[in-house]
Amino acid sequence: MNNVQNNVHDYVEKAELLKALAHPVRLCIVDGLLQNECNVTKIRECLELPQSTVSQHLSILKSRGIIKGRRRGTEICYTVSNELVRELMKILTGKNVHSQGPEGKK
């Protein structure tokens, strides 16, 4: 029975990770951060959203261990720190994933 409880705990963690990603703005932020580390101002300008909204989304991503911030002078630059999220985003966006042609060949 302990094994089942451990499995459920693993799924709870994965579900929390997926919940954090389950918003179009957060997916967009994570996708952008996979390309380049950015600060809040750059992210805000890219998304054309209020700074407070971007900060709220960043806070959720950070609290789930998806991103991390690194202080550089007066700004904090964010980057994706979770390897599972990197792999999930490759699948979701189709980036760095080989697609098959019409004959099923790579």
Side-chain angles (χ1 to χ4, degrees):
M1 192 64 164
N2 265 349
N3 195 21
V4 172
Q5 289 174 334
N6 288 341
N7 286 341
V8 170
H9 179 69
D10 289 344
Y11 287 119
V12 168
E13 289 180 11
K14 287 175 177 53
E16 290 299 319
L17 185 75
L18 291 172
K19 280 197 277 186
L21 290 172
H23 191 285
V25 170
R26 290 193 288 271
L27 282 172
C28 189
I29 290 171
V30 170
D31 189 40
L33 292 176
L34 285 170
Q35 312 304 314
N36 267 327
E37 72 173 20
C38 282
N39 63 24
V40 176
T41 303
K42 287 181 186 175
I43 296 168
R44 186 198 64 73
E45 289 170 356
C46 234
L47 296 174
E48 298 179 350
L49 292 171
Q51 185 268 333
S52 60
T53 302
V54 172
S55 291
Q56 287 175 351
H57 287 295
L58 289 172
S59 176
I60 291 167
L61 294 169
K62 193 173 175 185
S63 71
R64 297 296 193 275
I66 295 170
I67 64 171
K68 66 179 178 181
R70 182 177 54 83
R71 185 165 291 283
R72 190 166 57 189
T74 59
E75 62 185 27
I76 297 175
C77 294
Y78 293 94
T79 186
V80 176
S81 59
N82 186 302
E83 197 57 40
L84 177 58
V85 169
R86 289 177 182 277
E87 294 302 314
L88 286 170
M89 290 302 293
K90 284 180 189 177
I91 294 166
L92 287 173
T93 63
K95 295 176 184 172
N96 296 325
V97 176
H98 297 289
S99 60
Q100 294 185 350
E103 294 83 36
K105 298 178 183 174
K106 288 187 179 179

